Amino acid sequence: MSIVLEAKNVCKTYILNKRQNNVLKNVNFQVEEKEMVTIMGPSGSGKSTLLYAVSGMDNITAGEVVFDGNGMTGLGSKELADLRLDEMGFIFQQMYMMKNLTVLDNIILPACQSKKTKESRREIVLRGQDLMRKLGIIDIANHDINEVSGGQLQRACICRSMINHPKMIFADEPTGALNRSSSDDVMEELVKINEAGTTILLVTHDIKVAAKSTRVLYLVDGYIKGEYNLGRYNAKSQLRERERTLNNWLMEMGW
């Protein structure tokens, strides 16, 4: 399989009160096409910082990030913004939506802003509705965002992340604000999207979420201490054993 994302000796340093804080230290990893890779680690280990760094949402101090065969390090802010809009999808713990737009209008907004799309607004709307139908939320298409549940809103965020046919989705604690039932539902949708061919890199502290991924990277103090290959998640009957083996490995890592 081809490599979608590669981090090469990625470093991220912040200067706070004249003190240097090395958040990422020579991080190296690859994500292959159609993988779902999870970043785990203790609080403050640099998980979200790493996700933001390799997706171009934050600048790196040193090293190189290669996305779909092209280096991102030398790109300007507009080029990075276009790349994120056209080739990447994003899902966050906080479900950022425009309050003055309906759920459907929020979902299709990236497609309306993209320069690569040749579709009419009607075609974009139909595609947005189709995504909502697949995720079981078509009935809230015309609702305001404050009229729906957290689980429904996060499914809408998944639809939005898919609207521009991204090569890769970046998800930062996508189930962190949800109850267990909604969390399970959202993860099942992400698994389906991954099975359909979309590569996913996500951050989570939840073993039940991570157990559905292909591979887990364990981050400690800004560097990758180890990785665990779970293989592809195919059936719910596998889940308890995957959770058990992953938990044992995390304990060995110092979780």
Side-chain angles (χ1 to χ4, degrees), residues 101-107 132 140-141 143-145 148 153 156:
L101 300 179
T102 65
V103 174
L104 176 59
D105 284 340
N106 267 286
I107 289 169
M132 295 188 77
I140 65 166
H143 285 46
D144 292 335
I145 63 170
V148 301
L153 200 57

Side-chain angles (χ1 to χ4, degrees), residues 98-158:
M98 300 289 289
K99 294 181 179 179
N100 59 326
L101 300 179
T102 65
V103 174
L104 176 59
D105 284 340
N106 267 286
I107 289 169
I108 67 172
L109 184 60
C112 295
Q113 293 175 326
S114 174
K115 294 178 181 177
K116 80 170 185 179
T117 183
K118 306 299 180 184
E119 298 171 301
S120 66
R121 180 178 172 83
R122 173 176 168 73
E123 290 171 324
I124 293 172
V125 167
L126 290 174
R127 196 154 53 78
Q129 290 172 333
D130 186 53
L131 284 169
M132 295 188 77
R133 198 169 288 111
K134 288 178 180 177
L135 269 76
I137 54 170
I138 188 61
D139 55 316
I140 65 166
N142 296 318
H143 285 46
D144 292 335
I145 63 170
N146 59 358
E147 296 176 331
V148 301
S149 70
Q152 289 173 318
L153 200 57
Q154 194 63 299
R155 289 189 188 202
C157 290
I158 295 174

Side-chain angles (χ1 to χ4, degrees), residues 69-110:
N70 299 306
M72 294 172 55
T73 311
L75 298 180
S77 57
K78 186 180 185 307
E79 292 172 306
L80 284 171
D82 289 341
L83 178 65
R84 291 192 300 268
L85 177 64
D86 294 336
E87 308 297 341
M88 301 175 181
F90 293 90
I91 308 167
F92 303 99
Q93 179 176 350
Q94 299 301 320
M95 303 158 208
Y96 301 108
M97 290 268 186
M98 300 289 289
K99 294 181 179 179
N100 59 326
L101 300 179
T102 65
V103 174
L104 176 59
D105 284 340
N106 267 286
I107 289 169
I108 67 172
L109 184 60

Side-chain angles (χ1 to χ4, degrees), residues 57-75:
M57 288 193 289
D58 195 6
N59 295 324
I60 61 176
T61 305
E64 184 180 4
V65 179
V66 179
F67 180 80
D68 197 31
N70 299 306
M72 294 172 55
T73 311
L75 298 180

Side-chain angles (χ1 to χ4, degrees), residues 11-59:
C11 300
K12 179 64 181 181
T13 300
Y14 293 104
I15 304 296
L16 184 62
N17 296 327
K18 297 183 180 181
R19 297 182 63 181
Q20 186 170 292
N21 184 12
N22 300 314
V23 183
L24 301 176
K25 307 166 186 175
N26 296 312
V27 175
N28 292 275
F29 70 94
Q30 298 176 342
V31 180
E32 293 186 350
E33 184 182 16
K34 299 181 181 180
E35 269 197 300
M36 183 190 292
V37 176
T38 295
I39 303 169
M40 300 188 78
S43 179
S45 59
K47 301 184 297 296
S48 294
T49 299
L50 179 57
L51 187 84
Y52 282 41
V54 298
S55 63
M57 288 193 289
D58 195 6
N59 295 324

